[in-house]
């Protein structure tokens, strides 16, 4: 889906949240210990081949937290400005993102995306749903 095809003209007022400034300290990014954790997806992603991806659980947990907060507020979408590489990784793990504009140079290359919370949860593998559910229980005390 090209960004011009994204449903931004159908956004309902008061039903969109902003996800911004989600940052991980450099000391937690790409740690040597993260090389021991990989994720193999059964989804066929063009150009990915049989590649196994290193997982940074910190970024996935922060992303899930943002999505859970969108769901708790019953928002249809979240809007975020992120690195295209991060967006590709999140999509690979099941996060439903749609690019809605061209990349710009804003503290590095960033592009605007819509995040779809409900379909994201449906797209997650069983392992990621389990992580998502644990985070949700911790956040909502349910």
């Amino acid at each position: 889906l090209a960004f011009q095809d994204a449903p931004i003209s159908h956004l309902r007022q008061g039903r969109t949240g902003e996800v911004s400034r989600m940052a991980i300290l450099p000391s937690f990014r790409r740690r040597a210990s993260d090389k021991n954790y990989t994720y193999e997806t059964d989804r066929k992603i063009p150009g990915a081949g049989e590649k196994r991806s290193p997982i940074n659980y910190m970024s996935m947990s922060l992303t899930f937290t943002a999505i859970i907060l969108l769901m708790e507020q019953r928002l249809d979408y979240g809007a975020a400005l992120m690195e295209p590489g991060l967006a590709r990784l999140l999509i690979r793990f099941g996060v439903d993102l749609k690019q809605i504009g061209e990349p710009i140079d804003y503290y590095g290359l960033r592009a605007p995306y819509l995040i779809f919370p409900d379909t994201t949860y449906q797209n997650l593998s069983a392992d990621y749903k389990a992580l998502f559910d644990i985070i949700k229980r911790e956040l909502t005390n349910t």
Side-chain angles (χ1 to χ4, degrees):
L1 181 68
F3 73 87
Q4 59 266 38
D5 297 328
I8 59 175
S9 62
H10 301 291
L11 294 179
R12 296 187 308 174
Q13 187 172 1
R15 304 297 295 173
T16 305
E18 177 188 355
V19 178
S20 63
R21 300 306 299 163
M22 210 168 47
I24 299 173
L25 295 172
S27 59
F28 282 96
R29 282 186 250 147
R30 296 188 176 115
R31 300 172 297 172
S33 63
D34 290 340
K35 292 177 184 172
N36 298 327
Y37 302 100
T38 58
Y39 174 80
E40 196 167 327
T41 180
D42 56 356
R43 290 185 177 89
K44 293 297 179 197
I45 305 209
E50 297 299 318
K51 183 178 178 183
R52 292 173 58 102
S53 299
I55 299 174
N56 185 323
Y57 283 100
M58 184 75 71
S59 60
M60 290 307 296
S61 296
L62 287 172
T63 300
F64 287 170
T65 298
I67 291 169
I68 290 163
L69 294 173
L70 293 169
M71 293 171 94
E72 287 296 306
Q73 293 299 310
R74 293 179 172 76
L75 298 175
D76 296 334
Y77 308 94
L81 191 63
M82 69 180 78
E83 296 173 358
L86 174 60
R88 284 189 302 274
L89 183 66
L90 295 176
I91 290 167
R92 177 178 214 143
F93 295 139
V95 177
D96 189 4
L97 296 176
K98 301 292 183 264
Q99 187 174 342
I100 57 171
E102 293 293 335
I104 59 168
D105 185 9
Y106 182 75
Y107 300 102
L109 191 63
R110 307 276 191 271
Y113 294 87
L114 287 180
I115 303 167
F116 299 86
D118 294 327
T119 52
T120 290
Y121 186 76
Q122 295 165 10
N123 289 343
L124 296 176
S125 69
D127 289 341
Y128 272 112
K129 276 187 181 176
L131 176 61
F132 189 99
D133 292 340
I134 290 167
I135 295 168
K136 184 174 181 180
R137 277 194 305 274
E138 291 289 321
L139 284 174
T140 61
N141 294 317
T142 58

